[in-house]
């Protein structure tokens, strides 16, 4: 799948939430819909979009009341981060702008749920040498992979919901 297809597929707040939810456990459209408080039909539609983009896959089919329910999982985000593969196209696009808007919406929703505890907020537009930039991108990528690997199903005893949003990219020279 191209990076443009992935951008299009993830340019919606519900699909971003589904990716997070399906990192920890496999779920059907009905289960995901209940968890996200959207209809089963809406969840099913968004799951199909993510599946077509290759971001989730069917990991099992279960029999439910005389029918079959597909259970989906998002597994790629728990794989080790590979810095050399993290080179994206530079040009801004309509799809990139839609993705950024979806991330902004999701960040607003999550910020309203913030509680006391360890946290970090940072924003920067800086000039650094290429080696430092590679180290930073590698460290944030490794932190993201660690979080995804450690993710557990919602409301698992001994766990707490957390949020991580990061968008790191080089800028065009003025």
């Amino acid at each position: 799948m191209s990076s443009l297809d992935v951008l299009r597929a993830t340019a919606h707040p519900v699909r971003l939430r589904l990716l997070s939810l399906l990192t920890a456990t496999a779920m059907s459209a009905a289960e995901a819909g209940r968890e996200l408080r959207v209809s089963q039909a809406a969840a099913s539609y968004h799951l199909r979009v993510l599946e077509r983009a290759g971001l989730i896959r069917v990991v099992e089919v279960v029999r439910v009341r005389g029918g079959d329910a597909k259970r989906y999982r998002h597994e790629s985000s728990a794989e080790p981060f590979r810095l050399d593969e993290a080179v994206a196209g530079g040009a801004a696009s309509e799809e990139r702008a839609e993705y950024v808007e979806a991330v902004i919406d999701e960040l607003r929703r999550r910020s309203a749920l913030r509680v006391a505890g360890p946290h970090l907020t940072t924003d920067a537009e800086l000039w650094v040498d290429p080696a430092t930039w590679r180290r930073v991108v590698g460290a944030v990528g490794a932190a993201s992979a660690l979080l995804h690997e450690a993710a557990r199903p919602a409301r698992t005893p001994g766990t707490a919901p957390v949020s991580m949003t990061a968008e790191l990219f080089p800028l065009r020279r003025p």
Side-chain angles (χ1 to χ4, degrees), residues 93-102:
S93 67
E94 184 177 325
E95 287 79 9
R96 167 73 47 196
E98 289 174 15
Y99 171 78
V100 169
E101 288 300 319

Side-chain angles (χ1 to χ4, degrees), residues 6-121:
V6 170
L7 272 178
R8 286 179 178 148
T10 56
H12 194 284
V14 170
R15 292 194 286 267
L16 291 174
R17 293 177 66 198
L18 280 167
L19 288 174
S20 294
L21 186 63
L22 298 175
T23 294
T25 190
M27 292 184 137
S28 68
E31 293 166 325
R34 280 191 299 273
E35 181 65 33
L36 298 181
R37 298 174 196 253
V38 300
S39 70
Q40 179 179 345
S44 183
Y45 167 76
H46 291 298
L47 289 167
R48 286 192 310 273
V49 171
L50 293 170
E51 183 183 24
R52 276 194 307 272
L55 294 168
I56 62 172
R57 67 183 181 89
V58 175
V59 294
E60 67 180 322
V61 178
V62 295
R63 197 86 173 140
V64 179
R65 289 188 225 102
D68 291 335
K70 295 177 183 176
R71 298 187 88 217
Y72 298 86
R73 184 85 194 257
H74 174 54
E75 297 168 330
S76 63
S77 56
E79 295 173 3
F81 179 73
R82 292 174 185 82
L83 182 59
D84 293 335
E85 296 174 10
V87 179
S93 67
E94 184 177 325
E95 287 79 9
R96 167 73 47 196
E98 289 174 15
Y99 171 78
V100 169
E101 288 300 319
V103 170
I104 290 167
D105 289 346
E106 190 55 9
L107 185 56
R108 281 188 183 113
R109 183 191 69 79
R110 292 180 197 169
S111 290
L113 304 173
R114 180 180 231 155
V115 297
H119 70 277
L120 169 69
T121 301

